[in-house]
Amino acid sequence: MENNEEKNTYTVKLLVVTERPVFPGGITTLVVSRAEEIKLIENLGKGGIFGILMAKERDSFDNCIMDSTLPPEFYEVGTLCSINRFIHLPNGSLHVFVTTMRTFTVHSVDTLLSPYEAVVEDRNTEYESMRPIVPYMRLLRKILSELVTQSPLFSFASEVNIANITDAENLVNYTASCLTAPKEFLQQVLAQQNLIARYEKVLTYLESEKDLVIMQNQIRSDLIDNVKRRNQEQVLKQQISTLQQELDKITGKGGSAGAFSPRGMDIAELADKYDKIKDLLPPIYIETVDKEMSRMNSMDPSSPDYTLTKTYIDTILSLPYSKKNQKVKYTIENVREKLDKDHYGLKDVKDRILEFLASRTLSRSQSGAIICLVGPPGVGKTSIGRSIASALGRKYYRFSMGGVRDEAEIKGHRRTYVGALPGKFIQALLETKEVDPVILIDEIDKMGSSFQGDPASALLEALDPEQNSRFRDLYLDLPYDLSKVLFIVTANTLETVPEPLLDRMEVIEVSGYTSQEKLNIAKGYLIPRLIKNNGLEKRNISLSDDALLSIAEEYSREAGVRNYEKNLDKIFRKLSLEILEKKSDGNLLIEKKDVEKYLSIPRFDLSEKIEAEEAGTAIGLAWTSMGGDVLLIEAEALLSHEEFKITGQLGDVMKESCNIALSTVKKEAALRGIDPAYFRHHMIHLHVPEGATPKDGPSAGITMTCALWGMITEQVIKKDLAMTGELTLTGHVMPIGGLKEKVLAAKRNHIKEIIIPQKNKRDLEMLDEDVKKDITFHLVSDISEVLALSFPSDRTRRLTESELEKAQENWEKENQKNG
């Protein structure tokens, strides 16, 4: 240990700990296992001085031991120790007994030495003489004496141990060293120079531990009482059973369930329930309940089968059953009013729902009600289902199919399995206690299948109007009528929904919102709700239209309003904090310039857009489960004899579209007099950027064709033009889906013109004028029309037959000349 008297510092060897710090003023033991530290202890010997310092992270320190290039991180305060003696253990480690002397502050650590060496300076404990320390010592002893009797964790604080410590600093250090607190807290106590503040830290922790110990003891006491009560009940039931058997022998009624036996009480309870609904039960249910109750009457109550039978009968009797002359609980006007109140816009969706309900009202039919709402996340599919249930005056039950791989989730388990339960539909009826609830099946496009069965196949029976009047749950093993249930199904995409299942549903598309629609939703629905949720009703807070539009376009670019609502909620939470911190009086108008203050830098730059500025590029429009998107497709020709290359993590359908696009371009090139040898001497590479994102679907066919055509003719496609359409091998342009989402994505990218298939004309006419505003649409049916619109300056044209024959002769001569 080397001293520097001028700076009051000295150098000391370090022993690093990772679990908890060591406190001064006592004797403690250490187990040293690292070779360099064992050597340090042996070299220092009895009376040797070294420092103990704690590393901040155990994992990172272990990594530094393995790799010397990684600098470890230490806390700034450690403890100086003196070796009393040490013992060699059989495993090669050292058991070291040390006296902990005082704390020090670390100025620097030389991690290149082994073991580490530090330049340190002694720390002095600060004490305010105006505040007596004795009350703190008495309070500490009092709390510890209470905890000793309540928890074995504080056995260290026995009266003998505490009474022997008279020094104030040693008392608090000893207490802290014995606590099972986090190492960060213990390091804070060690680093606290002010003695009063150190006492306050330890006392605060002990008070919280005292409350926790009291709570744990209460829980333990309650558990013991419950166990005793159950044991007493079991003993009493056994005594009653024995007395009943004796009574049966005397009265000659052996084998029957006495009124006072557990079996008799259970059967009496079920029989009472049975009598109340027997008139509503179908004959097969009555037959099954009678048979099961007869079996139960002959069973031993302690038998596992007894409990299973009782639960089975109770499940049957707890189900709701149809009542005669049920009246319609709603009017079309009420449903419309409720939907308008809960959801902005969505006129087409609301009309489809109202038409659906109106036809059922006039026909007095309650069957065939399966609605499928499909659209991107956050557009209100689930909340529409809840609103429909509320408007119809029915109970509402929701379950998600996301990740479901077992058909037993739908149709239940057979009663032969331990822990068997009915499926989701029967559970819904047991919970709602109505025969005609609204059951919302969420995320149906995300279910899977496994060796345990296919949930989609299990859904077919329940969602088929022709079959669900006799739905058979495997647990009940009885036909149950689900025809009066209104099923509402939601999905982000229909691509993963099996066709037979899709065929049984009325599909209603819920499209994304424009920025103006999001603004109106925020003003009419989101802001009033968020103001209430954040307790700001009595404040005069409002956001300008420019601010709301800025949040929609620069912070939450999406088809729905989920992230839009999160950003608004973030603003209101920060306003709540400002009010509590008295930084604001709560009367505030938030303008566009204020948005960045609450939401930081915008996530999306409105000035940025995807552009096709080079030959061989084209802009396509895509429709995903998250809404519309804009894709830049790139094509490049390289001198090579390799085959056609496709990159960008494309699905099988999109790869087929690439091959069709290349075949179409080859055919069109030949018709326009371009030598086919170009394709033999060049390797064509087609790429769709954002390679980490999977892509699939046929609607990029014409976009790929334009990219390839621009590449071979060395032309740049028309500025601010995007397109979408499936291409056939004969050059016809086929219709696509998700037109609204694609148009909204194009508007966000400042596209001025869009090419769409002629067969999507009806879909285009159904779009709101606000969606179509500022965009010119071109309807096409053939690839030649697409190329004419995309390359207005293209000088190539289709040759006549004679011109083609002459061109072919020239190609053959050129090929022969070139070998």
Side-chain angles (χ1 to χ4, degrees), residues 526-546:
L526 302 181
I527 291 177
R529 181 168 73 240
L530 293 174
I531 285 177
K532 181 180 179 181
N533 292 347
N534 287 279
L536 299 171
E537 301 98 318
K538 297 180 181 180
R539 312 287 177 172
N540 184 21
I541 298 174
S542 59
L543 286 84
S544 70
D545 289 359
D546 288 341

mmCIF file with all atom_site columns, all heavy atoms in Angstrom, residues 526-546:
data_model
loop_
_atom_site.group_PDB
_atom_site.id
_atom_site.type_symbol
_atom_site.label_atom_id
_atom_site.label_alt_id
_atom_site.label_comp_id
_atom_site.label_asym_id
_atom_site.label_entity_id
_atom_site.label_seq_id
_atom_site.pdbx_PDB_ins_code
_atom_site.Cartn_x
_atom_site.Cartn_y
_atom_site.Cartn_z
_atom_site.occupancy
_atom_site.B_iso_or_equiv
_atom_site.pdbx_formal_charge
_atom_site.auth_seq_id
_atom_site.auth_comp_id
_atom_site.auth_asym_id
_atom_site.auth_atom_id
_atom_site.pdbx_PDB_model_num
ATOM 1   N N   . LEU A 1 526 ? -62.064 10.377 -29.568 1.00 0.00 ? 526 LEU A N   1
ATOM 2   C CA  . LEU A 1 526 ? -60.847 10.074 -28.810 1.00 0.00 ? 526 LEU A CA  1
ATOM 3   C C   . LEU A 1 526 ? -60.555 11.114 -27.733 1.00 0.00 ? 526 LEU A C   1
ATOM 4   O O   . LEU A 1 526 ? -60.298 10.768 -26.575 1.00 0.00 ? 526 LEU A O   1
ATOM 5   C CB  . LEU A 1 526 ? -59.647 9.950  -29.757 1.00 0.00 ? 526 LEU A CB  1
ATOM 6   C CG  . LEU A 1 526 ? -59.758 8.895  -30.860 1.00 0.00 ? 526 LEU A CG  1
ATOM 7   C CD1 . LEU A 1 526 ? -58.479 8.870  -31.694 1.00 0.00 ? 526 LEU A CD1 1
ATOM 8   C CD2 . LEU A 1 526 ? -60.029 7.529  -30.277 1.00 0.00 ? 526 LEU A CD2 1
ATOM 9   N N   . ILE A 1 527 ? -60.565 12.393 -28.106 1.00 0.00 ? 527 ILE A N   1
ATOM 10  C CA  . ILE A 1 527 ? -60.176 13.439 -27.152 1.00 0.00 ? 527 ILE A CA  1
ATOM 11  C C   . ILE A 1 527 ? -61.116 13.497 -25.948 1.00 0.00 ? 527 ILE A C   1
ATOM 12  O O   . ILE A 1 527 ? -60.643 13.551 -24.802 1.00 0.00 ? 527 ILE A O   1
ATOM 13  C CB  . ILE A 1 527 ? -60.076 14.808 -27.865 1.00 0.00 ? 527 ILE A CB  1
ATOM 14  C CG1 . ILE A 1 527 ? -58.871 14.793 -28.817 1.00 0.00 ? 527 ILE A CG1 1
ATOM 15  C CG2 . ILE A 1 527 ? -59.949 15.943 -26.870 1.00 0.00 ? 527 ILE A CG2 1
ATOM 16  C CD1 . ILE A 1 527 ? -58.701 16.049 -29.637 1.00 0.00 ? 527 ILE A CD1 1
ATOM 17  N N   . PRO A 1 528 ? -62.451 13.482 -26.126 1.00 0.00 ? 528 PRO A N   1
ATOM 18  C CA  . PRO A 1 528 ? -63.331 13.478 -24.939 1.00 0.00 ? 528 PRO A CA  1
ATOM 19  C C   . PRO A 1 528 ? -63.050 12.295 -24.010 1.00 0.00 ? 528 PRO A C   1
ATOM 20  O O   . PRO A 1 528 ? -63.042 12.456 -22.786 1.00 0.00 ? 528 PRO A O   1
ATOM 21  C CB  . PRO A 1 528 ? -64.736 13.389 -25.553 1.00 0.00 ? 528 PRO A CB  1
ATOM 22  C CG  . PRO A 1 528 ? -64.598 13.994 -26.906 1.00 0.00 ? 528 PRO A CG  1
ATOM 23  C CD  . PRO A 1 528 ? -63.238 13.586 -27.377 1.00 0.00 ? 528 PRO A CD  1
ATOM 24  N N   . ARG A 1 529 ? -62.806 11.111 -24.595 1.00 0.00 ? 529 ARG A N   1
ATOM 25  C CA  . ARG A 1 529 ? -62.541 9.942  -23.746 1.00 0.00 ? 529 ARG A CA  1
ATOM 26  C C   . ARG A 1 529 ? -61.204 10.064 -23.025 1.00 0.00 ? 529 ARG A C   1
ATOM 27  O O   . ARG A 1 529 ? -61.092 9.752  -21.833 1.00 0.00 ? 529 ARG A O   1
ATOM 28  C CB  . ARG A 1 529 ? -62.566 8.679  -24.608 1.00 0.00 ? 529 ARG A CB  1
ATOM 29  C CG  . ARG A 1 529 ? -62.332 7.405  -23.798 1.00 0.00 ? 529 ARG A CG  1
ATOM 30  C CD  . ARG A 1 529 ? -62.643 6.146  -24.569 1.00 0.00 ? 529 ARG A CD  1
ATOM 31  N NE  . ARG A 1 529 ? -61.644 5.859  -25.583 1.00 0.00 ? 529 ARG A NE  1
ATOM 32  C CZ  . ARG A 1 529 ? -61.891 5.767  -26.858 1.00 0.00 ? 529 ARG A CZ  1
ATOM 33  N NH1 . ARG A 1 529 ? -63.131 5.942  -27.319 1.00 0.00 ? 529 ARG A NH1 1
ATOM 34  N NH2 . ARG A 1 529 ? -60.939 5.488  -27.731 1.00 0.00 ? 529 ARG A NH2 1
ATOM 35  N N   . LEU A 1 530 ? -60.171 10.542 -23.724 1.00 0.00 ? 530 LEU A N   1
ATOM 36  C CA  . LEU A 1 530 ? -58.848 10.653 -23.112 1.00 0.00 ? 530 LEU A CA  1
ATOM 37  C C   . LEU A 1 530 ? -58.806 11.750 -22.054 1.00 0.00 ? 530 LEU A C   1
ATOM 38  O O   . LEU A 1 530 ? -58.107 11.616 -21.044 1.00 0.00 ? 530 LEU A O   1
ATOM 39  C CB  . LEU A 1 530 ? -57.799 10.919 -24.198 1.00 0.00 ? 530 LEU A CB  1
ATOM 40  C CG  . LEU A 1 530 ? -57.557 9.769  -25.185 1.00 0.00 ? 530 LEU A CG  1
ATOM 41  C CD1 . LEU A 1 530 ? -56.615 10.208 -26.288 1.00 0.00 ? 530 LEU A CD1 1
ATOM 42  C CD2 . LEU A 1 530 ? -56.992 8.558  -24.458 1.00 0.00 ? 530 LEU A CD2 1
ATOM 43  N N   . ILE A 1 531 ? -59.538 12.831 -22.278 1.00 0.00 ? 531 ILE A N   1
ATOM 44  C CA  . ILE A 1 531 ? -59.615 13.888 -21.261 1.00 0.00 ? 531 ILE A CA  1
ATOM 45  C C   . ILE A 1 531 ? -60.219 13.337 -19.977 1.00 0.00 ? 531 ILE A C   1
ATOM 46  O O   . ILE A 1 531 ? -59.749 13.605 -18.865 1.00 0.00 ? 531 ILE A O   1
ATOM 47  C CB  . ILE A 1 531 ? -60.427 15.091 -21.799 1.00 0.00 ? 531 ILE A CB  1
ATOM 48  C CG1 . ILE A 1 531 ? -59.584 15.886 -22.809 1.00 0.00 ? 531 ILE A CG1 1
ATOM 49  C CG2 . ILE A 1 531 ? -60.884 15.996 -20.669 1.00 0.00 ? 531 ILE A CG2 1
ATOM 50  C CD1 . ILE A 1 531 ? -60.315 17.041 -23.451 1.00 0.00 ? 531 ILE A CD1 1
ATOM 51  N N   . LYS A 1 532 ? -61.263 12.523 -20.119 1.00 0.00 ? 532 LYS A N   1
ATOM 52  C CA  . LYS A 1 532 ? -61.901 11.919 -18.948 1.00 0.00 ? 532 LYS A CA  1
ATOM 53  C C   . LYS A 1 532 ? -60.966 10.920 -18.270 1.00 0.00 ? 532 LYS A C   1
ATOM 54  O O   . LYS A 1 532 ? -60.827 10.914 -17.039 1.00 0.00 ? 532 LYS A O   1
ATOM 55  C CB  . LYS A 1 532 ? -63.202 11.228 -19.371 1.00 0.00 ? 532 LYS A CB  1
ATOM 56  C CG  . LYS A 1 532 ? -63.951 10.600 -18.211 1.00 0.00 ? 532 LYS A CG  1
ATOM 57  C CD  . LYS A 1 532 ? -65.236 9.942  -18.699 1.00 0.00 ? 532 LYS A CD  1
ATOM 58  C CE  . LYS A 1 532 ? -65.989 9.291  -17.533 1.00 0.00 ? 532 LYS A CE  1
ATOM 59  N NZ  . LYS A 1 532 ? -67.235 8.625  -18.000 1.00 0.00 ? 532 LYS A NZ  1
ATOM 60  N N   . ASN A 1 533 ? -60.295 10.083 -19.056 1.00 0.00 ? 533 ASN A N   1
ATOM 61  C CA  . ASN A 1 533 ? -59.398 9.068  -18.488 1.00 0.00 ? 533 ASN A CA  1
ATOM 62  C C   . ASN A 1 533 ? -58.228 9.677  -17.737 1.00 0.00 ? 533 ASN A C   1
ATOM 63  O O   . ASN A 1 533 ? -57.717 9.085  -16.790 1.00 0.00 ? 533 ASN A O   1
ATOM 64  C CB  . ASN A 1 533 ? -58.862 8.155  -19.604 1.00 0.00 ? 533 ASN A CB  1
ATOM 65  C CG  . ASN A 1 533 ? -59.938 7.288  -20.214 1.00 0.00 ? 533 ASN A CG  1
ATOM 66  O OD1 . ASN A 1 533 ? -61.046 7.171  -19.666 1.00 0.00 ? 533 ASN A OD1 1
ATOM 67  N ND2 . ASN A 1 533 ? -59.654 6.689  -21.354 1.00 0.00 ? 533 ASN A ND2 1
ATOM 68  N N   . ASN A 1 534 ? -57.799 10.876 -18.176 1.00 0.00 ? 534 ASN A N   1
ATOM 69  C CA  . ASN A 1 534 ? -56.650 11.520 -17.528 1.00 0.00 ? 534 ASN A CA  1
ATOM 70  C C   . ASN A 1 534 ? -57.060 12.552 -16.483 1.00 0.00 ? 534 ASN A C   1
ATOM 71  O O   . ASN A 1 534 ? -56.214 13.299 -15.987 1.00 0.00 ? 534 ASN A O   1
ATOM 72  C CB  . ASN A 1 534 ? -55.761 12.180 -18.595 1.00 0.00 ? 534 ASN A CB  1
ATOM 73  C CG  . ASN A 1 534 ? -54.974 11.167 -19.404 1.00 0.00 ? 534 ASN A CG  1
ATOM 74  O OD1 . ASN A 1 534 ? -53.939 10.676 -18.969 1.00 0.00 ? 534 ASN A OD1 1
ATOM 75  N ND2 . ASN A 1 534 ? -55.469 10.828 -20.591 1.00 0.00 ? 534 ASN A ND2 1
ATOM 76  N N   . GLY A 1 535 ? -58.356 12.593 -16.146 1.00 0.00 ? 535 GLY A N   1
ATOM 77  C CA  . GLY A 1 535 ? -58.820 13.494 -15.091 1.00 0.00 ? 535 GLY A CA  1
ATOM 78  C C   . GLY A 1 535 ? -58.719 14.954 -15.435 1.00 0.00 ? 535 GLY A C   1
ATOM 79  O O   . GLY A 1 535 ? -58.450 15.786 -14.558 1.00 0.00 ? 535 GLY A O   1
ATOM 80  N N   . LEU A 1 536 ? -58.942 15.295 -16.709 1.00 0.00 ? 536 LEU A N   1
ATOM 81  C CA  . LEU A 1 536 ? -58.776 16.680 -17.147 1.00 0.00 ? 536 LEU A CA  1
ATOM 82  C C   . LEU A 1 536 ? -60.109 17.317 -17.537 1.00 0.00 ? 536 LEU A C   1
ATOM 83  O O   . LEU A 1 536 ? -60.146 18.307 -18.274 1.00 0.00 ? 536 LEU A O   1
ATOM 84  C CB  . LEU A 1 536 ? -57.814 16.743 -18.341 1.00 0.00 ? 536 LEU A CB  1
ATOM 85  C CG  . LEU A 1 536 ? -56.388 16.225 -18.084 1.00 0.00 ? 536 LEU A CG  1
ATOM 86  C CD1 . LEU A 1 536 ? -55.607 16.141 -19.384 1.00 0.00 ? 536 LEU A CD1 1
ATOM 87  C CD2 . LEU A 1 536 ? -55.664 17.129 -17.093 1.00 0.00 ? 536 LEU A CD2 1
ATOM 88  N N   . GLU A 1 537 ? -61.232 16.755 -17.020 1.00 0.00 ? 537 GLU A N   1
ATOM 89  C CA  . GLU A 1 537 ? -62.550 17.264 -17.429 1.00 0.00 ? 537 GLU A CA  1
ATOM 90  C C   . GLU A 1 537 ? -62.754 18.739 -17.082 1.00 0.00 ? 537 GLU A C   1
ATOM 91  O O   . GLU A 1 537 ? -63.410 19.479 -17.814 1.00 0.00 ? 537 GLU A O   1
ATOM 92  C CB  . GLU A 1 537 ? -63.677 16.450 -16.789 1.00 0.00 ? 537 GLU A CB  1
ATOM 93  C CG  . GLU A 1 537 ? -63.658 14.976 -17.141 1.00 0.00 ? 537 GLU A CG  1
ATOM 94  C CD  . GLU A 1 537 ? -63.006 14.157 -16.040 1.00 0.00 ? 537 GLU A CD  1
ATOM 95  O OE1 . GLU A 1 537 ? -61.975 14.607 -15.512 1.00 0.00 ? 537 GLU A OE1 1
ATOM 96  O OE2 . GLU A 1 537 ? -63.543 13.073 -15.716 1.00 0.00 ? 537 GLU A OE2 1
ATOM 97  N N   . LYS A 1 538 ? -62.185 19.159 -15.955 1.00 0.00 ? 538 LYS A N   1
ATOM 98  C CA  . LYS A 1 538 ? -62.410 20.528 -15.495 1.00 0.00 ? 538 LYS A CA  1
ATOM 99  C C   . LYS A 1 538 ? -61.424 21.527 -16.091 1.00 0.00 ? 538 LYS A C   1
ATOM 100 O O   . LYS A 1 538 ? -61.423 22.701 -15.734 1.00 0.00 ? 538 LYS A O   1
ATOM 101 C CB  . LYS A 1 538 ? -62.326 20.572 -13.969 1.00 0.00 ? 538 LYS A CB  1
ATOM 102 C CG  . LYS A 1 538 ? -63.405 19.728 -13.272 1.00 0.00 ? 538 LYS A CG  1
ATOM 103 C CD  . LYS A 1 538 ? -63.289 19.805 -11.766 1.00 0.00 ? 538 LYS A CD  1
ATOM 104 C CE  . LYS A 1 538 ? -64.352 18.955 -11.085 1.00 0.00 ? 538 LYS A CE  1
ATOM 105 N NZ  . LYS A 1 538 ? -64.256 19.010 -9.601  1.00 0.00 ? 538 LYS A NZ  1
ATOM 106 N N   . ARG A 1 539 ? -60.575 21.052 -16.977 1.00 0.00 ? 539 ARG A N   1
ATOM 107 C CA  . ARG A 1 539 ? -59.584 21.929 -17.605 1.00 0.00 ? 539 ARG A CA  1
ATOM 108 C C   . ARG A 1 539 ? -60.039 22.291 -19.012 1.00 0.00 ? 539 ARG A C   1
ATOM 109 O O   . ARG A 1 539 ? -60.748 21.529 -19.675 1.00 0.00 ? 539 ARG A O   1
ATOM 110 C CB  . ARG A 1 539 ? -58.228 21.226 -17.688 1.00 0.00 ? 539 ARG A CB  1
ATOM 111 C CG  . ARG A 1 539 ? -57.803 20.564 -16.382 1.00 0.00 ? 539 ARG A CG  1
ATOM 112 C CD  . ARG A 1 539 ? -57.378 21.563 -15.341 1.00 0.00 ? 539 ARG A CD  1
ATOM 113 N NE  . ARG A 1 539 ? -57.051 20.899 -14.084 1.00 0.00 ? 539 ARG A NE  1
ATOM 114 C CZ  . ARG A 1 539 ? -56.512 21.502 -13.035 1.00 0.00 ? 539 ARG A CZ  1
ATOM 115 N NH1 . ARG A 1 539 ? -56.236 22.789 -13.093 1.00 0.00 ? 539 ARG A NH1 1
ATOM 116 N NH2 . ARG A 1 539 ? -56.254 20.833 -11.939 1.00 0.00 ? 539 ARG A NH2 1
ATOM 117 N N   . ASN A 1 540 ? -59.608 23.437 -19.456 1.00 0.00 ? 540 ASN A N   1
ATOM 118 C CA  . ASN A 1 540 ? -59.970 23.906 -20.799 1.00 0.00 ? 540 ASN A CA  1
ATOM 119 C C   . ASN A 1 540 ? -58.817 23.589 -21.748 1.00 0.00 ? 540 ASN A C   1
ATOM 120 O O   . ASN A 1 540 ? -57.966 24.423 -22.025 1.00 0.00 ? 540 ASN A O   1
ATOM 121 C CB  . ASN A 1 540 ? -60.262 25.410 -20.760 1.00 0.00 ? 540 ASN A CB  1
ATOM 122 C CG  . ASN A 1 540 ? -60.728 25.923 -22.110 1.00 0.00 ? 540 ASN A CG  1
ATOM 123 O OD1 . ASN A 1 540 ? -61.193 25.142 -22.951 1.00 0.00 ? 540 ASN A OD1 1
ATOM 124 N ND2 . ASN A 1 540 ? -60.602 27.213 -22.335 1.00 0.00 ? 540 ASN A ND2 1
ATOM 125 N N   . ILE A 1 541 ? -58.796 22.340 -22.224 1.00 0.00 ? 541 ILE A N   1
ATOM 126 C CA  . ILE A 1 541 ? -57.708 21.874 -23.085 1.00 0.00 ? 541 ILE A CA  1
ATOM 127 C C   . ILE A 1 541 ? -58.276 21.527 -24.457 1.00 0.00 ? 541 ILE A C   1
ATOM 128 O O   . ILE A 1 541 ? -59.302 20.859 -24.559 1.00 0.00 ? 541 ILE A O   1
ATOM 129 C CB  . ILE A 1 541 ? -57.016 20.639 -22.483 1.00 0.00 ? 541 ILE A CB  1
ATOM 130 C CG1 . ILE A 1 541 ? -56.382 20.996 -21.138 1.00 0.00 ? 541 ILE A CG1 1
ATOM 131 C CG2 . ILE A 1 541 ? -55.966 20.078 -23.443 1.00 0.00 ? 541 ILE A CG2 1
ATOM 132 C CD1 . ILE A 1 541 ? -55.797 19.819 -20.407 1.00 0.00 ? 541 ILE A CD1 1
ATOM 133 N N   . SER A 1 542 ? -57.605 21.980 -25.490 1.00 0.00 ? 542 SER A N   1
ATOM 134 C CA  . SER A 1 542 ? -58.038 21.664 -26.854 1.00 0.00 ? 542 SER A CA  1
ATOM 135 C C   . SER A 1 542 ? -56.821 21.624 -27.764 1.00 0.00 ? 542 SER A C   1
ATOM 136 O O   . SER A 1 542 ? -55.767 22.171 -27.446 1.00 0.00 ? 542 SER A O   1
ATOM 137 C CB  . SER A 1 542 ? -59.044 22.703 -27.366 1.00 0.00 ? 542 SER A CB  1
ATOM 138 O OG  . SER A 1 542 ? -58.461 24.003 -27.361 1.00 0.00 ? 542 SER A OG  1
ATOM 139 N N   . LEU A 1 543 ? -56.988 20.932 -28.900 1.00 0.00 ? 543 LEU A N   1
ATOM 140 C CA  . LEU A 1 543 ? -55.931 20.832 -29.901 1.00 0.00 ? 543 LEU A CA  1
ATOM 141 C C   . LEU A 1 543 ? -56.457 21.406 -31.207 1.00 0.00 ? 543 LEU A C   1
ATOM 142 O O   . LEU A 1 543 ? -57.593 21.133 -31.604 1.00 0.00 ? 543 LEU A O   1
ATOM 143 C CB  . LEU A 1 543 ? -55.502 19.383 -30.116 1.00 0.00 ? 543 LEU A CB  1
ATOM 144 C CG  . LEU A 1 543 ? -54.648 18.726 -29.011 1.00 0.00 ? 543 LEU A CG  1
ATOM 145 C CD1 . LEU A 1 543 ? -55.547 18.186 -27.911 1.00 0.00 ? 543 LEU A CD1 1
ATOM 146 C CD2 . LEU A 1 543 ? -53.778 17.599 -29.587 1.00 0.00 ? 543 LEU A CD2 1
ATOM 147 N N   . SER A 1 544 ? -55.635 22.186 -31.882 1.00 0.00 ? 544 SER A N   1
ATOM 148 C CA  . SER A 1 544 ? -56.049 22.762 -33.162 1.00 0.00 ? 544 SER A CA  1
ATOM 149 C C   . SER A 1 544 ? -56.107 21.678 -34.234 1.00 0.00 ? 544 SER A C   1
ATOM 150 O O   . SER A 1 544 ? -55.502 20.615 -34.095 1.00 0.00 ? 544 SER A O   1
ATOM 151 C CB  . SER A 1 544 ? -55.079 23.866 -33.582 1.00 0.00 ? 544 SER A CB  1
ATOM 152 O OG  . SER A 1 544 ? -53.820 23.308 -33.940 1.00 0.00 ? 544 SER A OG  1
ATOM 153 N N   . ASP A 1 545 ? -56.827 21.957 -35.315 1.00 0.00 ? 545 ASP A N   1
ATOM 154 C CA  . ASP A 1 545 ? -56.927 20.995 -36.410 1.00 0.00 ? 545 ASP A CA  1
ATOM 155 C C   . ASP A 1 545 ? -55.558 20.704 -37.018 1.00 0.00 ? 545 ASP A C   1
ATOM 156 O O   . ASP A 1 545 ? -55.251 19.559 -37.363 1.00 0.00 ? 545 ASP A O   1
ATOM 157 C CB  . ASP A 1 545 ? -57.870 21.526 -37.500 1.00 0.00 ? 545 ASP A CB  1
ATOM 158 C CG  . ASP A 1 545 ? -59.318 21.516 -37.050 1.00 0.00 ? 545 ASP A CG  1
ATOM 159 O OD1 . ASP A 1 545 ? -59.582 21.081 -35.908 1.00 0.00 ? 545 ASP A OD1 1
ATOM 160 O OD2 . ASP A 1 545 ? -60.190 21.950 -37.826 1.00 0.00 ? 545 ASP A OD2 1
ATOM 161 N N   . ASP A 1 546 ? -54.730 21.735 -37.144 1.00 0.00 ? 546 ASP A N   1
ATOM 162 C CA  . ASP A 1 546 ? -53.387 21.535 -37.703 1.00 0.00 ? 546 ASP A CA  1
ATOM 163 C C   . ASP A 1 546 ? -52.563 20.593 -36.820 1.00 0.00 ? 546 ASP A C   1
ATOM 164 O O   . ASP A 1 546 ? -51.799 19.768 -37.319 1.00 0.00 ? 546 ASP A O   1
ATOM 165 C CB  . ASP A 1 546 ? -52.661 22.878 -37.849 1.00 0.00 ? 546 ASP A CB  1
ATOM 166 C CG  . ASP A 1 546 ? -53.236 23.719 -38.981 1.00 0.00 ? 546 ASP A CG  1
ATOM 167 O OD1 . ASP A 1 546 ? -53.922 23.131 -39.847 1.00 0.00 ? 546 ASP A OD1 1
ATOM 168 O OD2 . ASP A 1 546 ? -53.005 24.938 -39.003 1.00 0.00 ? 546 ASP A OD2 1
#
